[in-house]
Amino acid sequence: MKQLVVLSGKGGTGKTTVAAALVELAGRAMIADCDVEAPNLHLLLKPEITKSYTLNVSRKASIDPERCTRCGDCVEACRFEAIREFRVERHACEGCVLCARLCPAGAISMEEPEGTEVFMGETPYGEMVWARLAVGEEASGKVVSRVRMEAQAAAVEKGYQLLVIDGSPGIGCPVIASVTGADLALMVAEPTLSGRHDLLRALETAAFFRIPSLVCLNKCDINVEEAERIKEECASLGVEVVAEIPYLEELAEAARLCMTPLEVAEGEAARLLRRLHEKVMERIGLPASQKGTLH
Ligand code: SF4
Ligand code: SF4
């Protein structure tokens, strides 16, 4: 099974639209929405939910000051240095429960936030896994890993040849969880100053994990100078720009109407997306235009 991750340095570049188009054109693929902080691929692909469960990844220790005797055992035991002045620094706590087990005064309890929900469903183009983060959930890297793990297991079990991952924006822990082990990263970038910087950081992240990258320049006509700069920088890095898609009102309209790109795209938009799909499939080593047979 091949794994294709679609990335962008930040949100709003059209990453999900491109991911949806690739899924549609693959005909049948396993799909993972790893953009867990703003999942919206399911809004376009409209899966019918077949299974869901609650995941608790963000429990944190909490010290009751009334019961704490200030013995210091927990401070010494916490290898994440999450306890300072007999208070738990929530961002540093990994929820390992060690301190709660050790505390001789029984002063430490674990707070469990409302669970994150993980969903599996059937779309017209293949099965899909996605998640909805609990309010206040910070451990999105762990949730991304779970979504990928579920999708990979289902893909292997059911014999899918392709897993399409809508990756997390940015470069932090969730992105690393989205990209590691992928066969190919498709970077969707828009030609703005920040878009160029974000793209370069995303390319660096992929290169660090030795994942080959391709670039899709979206809305390439909104800033011709920046588009040229991106192409020059990609050329100097040896990264191929496989598509230059101008700002197309029909694609923006499709996203607004929660429709897949190919449901509305005609003419130029459809041609560009098909060409992009062919190039991506060629690079990843799967046959293109296999609608209905990639399973
Ligand atoms: S181990 Fe318990 S009693 Fe000791 S300092 Fe920590 S919270 Fe307080
Ligand atoms: S739960 Fe683990 S990580 Fe969190 S404060 Fe306690 S010992 Fe440290």
Side-chain angles (χ1 to χ4, degrees), residues 61 78 80 82-83 93-99 110:
C78 179
F80 301 101
I83 304 176
C93 174
E94 286 283 318
C96 71
V97 196
L98 181 64
C99 57
M110 301 304 296

Side-chain angles (χ1 to χ4, degrees), residues 220-276:
C220 64
D221 52 350
I222 60 170
N223 185 334
V224 176
E225 273 177 27
E226 277 298 337
E228 282 309 314
R229 265 188 217 124
I230 286 179
K231 287 195 275 180
E232 280 164 22
E233 300 212 29
C234 286
S236 72
L237 292 169
V239 175
E240 189 183 353
V241 178
V242 282
E244 292 177 50
I245 302 176
Y247 178 81
L248 294 166
E249 186 50 42
E250 57 202 298
L251 292 182
E253 185 66 3
R256 272 197 294 274
L257 296 173
C258 290
M259 294 171 82
T260 59
L262 272 291
E263 277 177 311
V264 293
E266 292 175 340
E268 182 67 352
R271 190 187 67 75
L272 289 168
L273 290 172
R274 280 181 204 285
R275 185 80 193 112
L276 169 65

Side-chain angles (χ1 to χ4, degrees), residues 6 39 53 61 63 70 84 86 111 131 143 158 195 202 210 215 233 260 287:
V6 185
Y53 63 86
I63 296 176
R70 302 193 159 220
R84 304 227 167 113
F86 308 104
E111 290 177 350
V143 179
K158 292 171 184 173
R210 298 177 188 275
V215 170
E233 300 212 29
T260 59

Side-chain angles (χ1 to χ4, degrees), residues 23-276:
V23 164
E24 268 187 292
L25 288 163
R28 200 139 175 92
M30 189 74 210
I31 307 148
D33 189 350
C34 288
D35 189 352
V36 296
E37 290 184 16
N40 48 20
L41 189 57
H42 66 288
L43 301 176
L44 306 185
L45 301 180
K46 302 179 184 68
E48 202 171 293
I49 296 173
T50 51
K51 190 178 143 191
S52 68
Y53 63 86
T54 302
L55 183 67
N56 246 327
V57 289
S58 239
R59 61 187 174 185
K60 305 282 180 191
S62 169
I63 296 176
D64 178 352
E66 305 271 296
R67 297 175 79 169
C68 173
T69 61
R70 302 193 159 220
C71 70
D73 287 2
C74 57
V75 181
E76 215 171 287
C78 179
R79 65 192 174 97
F80 301 101
E81 297 180 5
I83 304 176
R84 304 227 167 113
E85 306 287 323
F86 308 104
R87 290 173 53 150
V88 177
E89 305 276 343
R90 283 182 62 82
H91 67 276
C93 174
E94 286 283 318
C96 71
V97 196
L98 181 64
C99 57
R101 291 209 180 106
L102 285 179
C103 175
I108 305 181
S109 57
M110 301 304 296
E111 290 177 350
E112 309 259 348
E114 224 178 90
T116 287
E117 280 187 282
V118 178
F119 300 95
M120 274 143 271
E122 184 76 47
T123 80
Y125 319 99
E127 281 152 89
M128 175 170 184
V129 185
W130 73 105
R132 186 169 57 216
L133 284 189
V135 177
E137 178 67 87
E138 293 154 10
S140 64
K142 289 181 188 168
V143 179
V144 168
S145 297
R146 175 60 71 102
V147 168
R148 266 197 78 177
M149 193 195 74
E150 289 283 1
Q152 279 171 292
V156 169
E157 187 193 331
K158 292 171 184 173
Y160 280 87
Q161 288 182 30
L162 177 64
L163 167 60
V164 178
I165 301 157
D166 187 3
S168 305
I171 52 160
C173 176
V175 182
I176 291 166
S178 309
V179 299
T180 42
D183 296 284
L184 181 67
L186 176 67
M187 309 292 179
V188 181
E190 60 179 22
T192 58
L193 181 62
S194 64
R196 181 159 56 87
H197 288 154
D198 292 337
L199 170 66
L200 292 175
R201 287 190 316 173
L203 286 171
E204 269 172 28
T205 306
F208 181 81
F209 290 100
R210 298 177 188 275
I211 296 160
S213 296
L214 297 174
V215 170
C216 167
L217 204 43
N218 198 22
K219 307 175 203 167
C220 64
D221 52 350
I222 60 170
N223 185 334
V224 176
E225 273 177 27
E226 277 298 337
E228 282 309 314
R229 265 188 217 124
I230 286 179
K231 287 195 275 180
E232 280 164 22
E233 300 212 29
C234 286
S236 72
L237 292 169
V239 175
E240 189 183 353
V241 178
V242 282
E244 292 177 50
I245 302 176
Y247 178 81
L248 294 166
E249 186 50 42
E250 57 202 298
L251 292 182
E253 185 66 3
R256 272 197 294 274
L257 296 173
C258 290
M259 294 171 82
T260 59
L262 272 291
E263 277 177 311
V264 293
E266 292 175 340
E268 182 67 352
R271 190 187 67 75
L272 289 168
L273 290 172
R274 280 181 204 285
R275 185 80 193 112
L276 169 65

